[in-house]
Amino acid sequence: MARPQPRPSLDLVAGYHSAQVDVSVRLNTNESPEPPPAGFVEALKLALDQVQWNRYPDRSALQLRARIAQVESKQPFEDTQSEGDSSNSLTAKNVCVANGSNEILQSLCLAYGGPSRSVLTFEPSYALHEHIARVCGTEVIQLNRDSEFQLDLDEAVATIQASRPSITFLCSPNNPTAMVENAETVGVLLQAVESVDGLLVVDEAYGQFAAWTALNLVAEDRSLVVTRTYSKTWSAAALRLGYLIGPTWVIDQLEKVLLPYHLDAVTQAAGLLALDYQAEMEQRVETLVRERERVVQAFKDLPLQQWPSEANFILFRPHRSDTNPSEGDRVWQELVNRSVLVRNCSSWARLDGCLRVTLGTAEENDKFLAALSEVLR
Ligand code: PMP
């Protein structure tokens, strides 16, 4: 019997995996090193008693969306405050919630991508933008960043005008480079995207770690959405909860492709409760930003190149990668031998010899730095 064949376009798609190795210091998937606040866990246990297990959850997740709108409206957007008609009064109708921001990205591709449409990405960037687009049968146009991972804006605008992508993905801070985009870049891209009736998606999975956010540019008459997640700053990667902030007309379209009751009652309750711990979340971000500065300083004494990070991870490249193509693999393996796991990006396009380390606790970062100094000696 011949086996049923999947869609031909799936032949092009490889799975997306990060090695799950049993080590004592895990710094490979950009999670928070700390569990959520104890008060949150206790409150969630109590909230579980209120769940009506025999009933479907609130299909529109209205309470959660309203609370996210409230919290995100309160962000201090100093840099963009002068931009005019910025939306500082979001409502539930500006928010879409899903099982991780990956499901948000997938819903965007289902709604706006698909056959005979294309998405544009700026490489290197988050691999799932390309992956999800392909799974949804969407053509992917990839524009390379320069050797310092900066965008060539003229080239980007020309490509948008020539290729007319339905979606342009901009990741800021960018995974895996950790570099943030600025207001000018987002403004120029938005203008280009709108001139071809496209949508600009700014993926801010690491937005809270950066000095600048595109959130305040979201408005009803702009083709701009921002995606965020509970997986990093909210210490809740296990929860699988992400969201999008955007104009109501985008959310209306996403609701057509999301499955009925896609967000379960426990996730909705947990997401709602987590937002009561804003101060604790901000404290964790501050701690990680301080750790980031410490690791950046320590890196300066090591034989490696690093790129400016505004996220909870740092991309680096041992100098010896210049002459030895397998140096990235060697460093990764030697770190694993010392029970430290980082992300090996050394075979990814445009990232020859590079590794990416997630910032952990001070103790984890110390262990990582000690192991790395030994390995690079
Ligand atoms: N966007 C970026 C840039 C990411 O790095 C990640 C997680 N690795 C995601 C989105 C997805 O996060 P989640 O599905 O956990 O919300």
Side-chain angles (χ1 to χ4, degrees):
M1 184 195 75
R3 289 187 181 167
Q5 292 301 303
R7 287 183 282 128
S9 58
L10 284 193
D11 289 349
L12 296 169
V13 174
Y16 178 78
H17 305 287
S18 183
Q20 291 197 310
V21 183
D22 192 16
V23 291
S24 57
V25 180
R26 270 173 52 181
L27 304 174
N28 65 326
T29 41
N30 298 346
E31 297 147 324
S32 166
E34 285 189 70
F40 161 78
V41 179
E42 285 311 309
L44 181 56
K45 282 182 194 158
L46 292 176
L48 288 186
D49 285 342
Q50 306 301 315
V51 172
Q52 283 195 292
W53 297 101
N54 55 324
R55 300 291 176 194
Y56 284 114
D58 173 13
R59 182 168 173 168
S60 59
L62 212 55
Q63 246 189 311
L64 175 60
R65 289 164 60 205
R67 184 82 173 99
I68 290 173
Q70 192 186 30
V71 167
E72 291 294 25
S73 296
K74 278 195 295 185
Q75 296 292 320
F77 303 121
E78 288 101 354
D79 289 12
T80 50
Q81 208 70 169
S82 57
E83 295 272 348
D85 63 335
S86 62
S87 151
N88 229 356
S89 53
L90 301 166
T91 74
K93 289 183 177 163
N94 298 109
V95 182
C96 178
V97 283
N99 294 280
S101 52
N102 280 337
E103 195 188 22
I104 293 281
L105 300 172
Q106 185 188 49
S107 305
L108 284 164
C109 286
L110 286 172
Y112 290 98
S116 77
R117 292 182 165 223
S118 62
V119 307
L120 174 63
T121 65
F122 303 110
E123 301 297 329
S125 193
Y126 182 45
L128 263 272
H129 296 154
E130 176 196 352
H131 178 90
I132 292 172
R134 287 198 197 286
V135 168
C136 294
T138 318
E139 185 196 340
V140 179
I141 301 162
Q142 294 176 302
L143 211 59
N144 287 332
R145 293 166 181 272
D146 69 15
S147 59
E148 286 307 305
F149 304 128
Q150 299 287 353
L151 274 184
D152 179 334
L153 268 184
D154 291 340
E155 193 189 12
V157 169
T159 304
I160 290 168
Q161 283 166 351
S163 309
R164 308 178 68 85
S166 312
I167 299 175
T168 296
F169 284 113
L170 184 70
C171 192
S172 176
N174 187 29
N175 182 5
T177 64
M179 290 158 72
V180 76
E181 303 293 352
N182 60 26
E184 190 208 341
T185 298
V186 173
V188 170
L189 289 180
L190 183 59
Q191 208 181 1
V193 157
E194 287 180 343
S195 76
V196 299
D197 301 335
L199 182 67
L200 180 63
V201 177
V202 182
D203 182 336
E204 291 195 357
Y206 307 95
Q208 289 95 336
F209 296 105
W212 189 79
T213 169
L215 261 183
N216 214 39
L217 295 176
V218 170
E220 197 59 14
D221 60 353
R222 289 195 184 127
S223 298
L224 168 73
V225 297
V226 175
T227 62
R228 291 194 153 194
T229 178
Y230 279 60
S231 298
K232 321 292 176 183
T233 40
W234 292 102
S235 294
L239 193 61
R240 308 307 301 127
L241 181 55
Y243 58 94
L244 169 147
I245 306 283
T248 58
W249 46 269
V250 172
I251 282 90
D252 290 346
Q253 300 307 320
L254 298 184
E255 277 168 6
K256 292 183 190 165
V257 298
L258 285 164
L259 294 174
Y261 313 109
H262 70 294
L263 200 69
D264 67 74
V266 176
T267 306
Q268 291 190 33
L272 199 56
L273 285 172
L275 300 181
D276 291 341
Y277 296 84
Q278 179 95 9
E280 285 83 349
M281 185 277 264
E282 281 165 10
Q283 205 176 15
R284 277 147 211 260
V285 170
E286 275 168 32
T287 306
L288 284 170
V289 167
R290 271 201 307 276
E291 279 302 299
R292 180 173 79 199
E293 292 320 309
R294 197 168 70 83
V295 174
V296 163
Q297 287 308 321
F299 270 7
K300 288 182 181 164
D301 296 329
L302 294 174
L304 57 78
Q305 180 182 5
Q306 60 178 317
W307 284 269
S309 168
E310 291 213 34
N312 64 337
F313 56 89
I314 306 172
L315 186 73
F316 66 97
R317 185 172 186 271
H319 288 329
R320 254 179 281 174
S321 291
D322 292 347
T323 49
N324 181 359
S326 61
E327 176 67 0
D329 290 336
R330 183 193 75 83
V331 170
W332 183 82
Q333 186 58 56
E334 288 291 335
L335 289 173
V336 170
N337 296 348
R338 289 161 178 79
S339 211
V340 175
L341 183 62
V342 300
R343 196 72 195 261
N344 185 0
C345 316
S346 59
S347 61
W348 300 1
R350 306 188 61 77
L351 291 167
D352 296 345
C354 289
L355 299 137
R356 189 195 70 192
V357 62
T358 306
L359 295 152
T361 61
E363 195 190 351
E364 287 173 326
N365 297 334
D366 283 342
K367 284 187 184 159
F368 159 69
L369 286 170
L372 186 67
S373 312
E374 246 178 62
V375 170
L376 294 180
R377 199 178 291 147

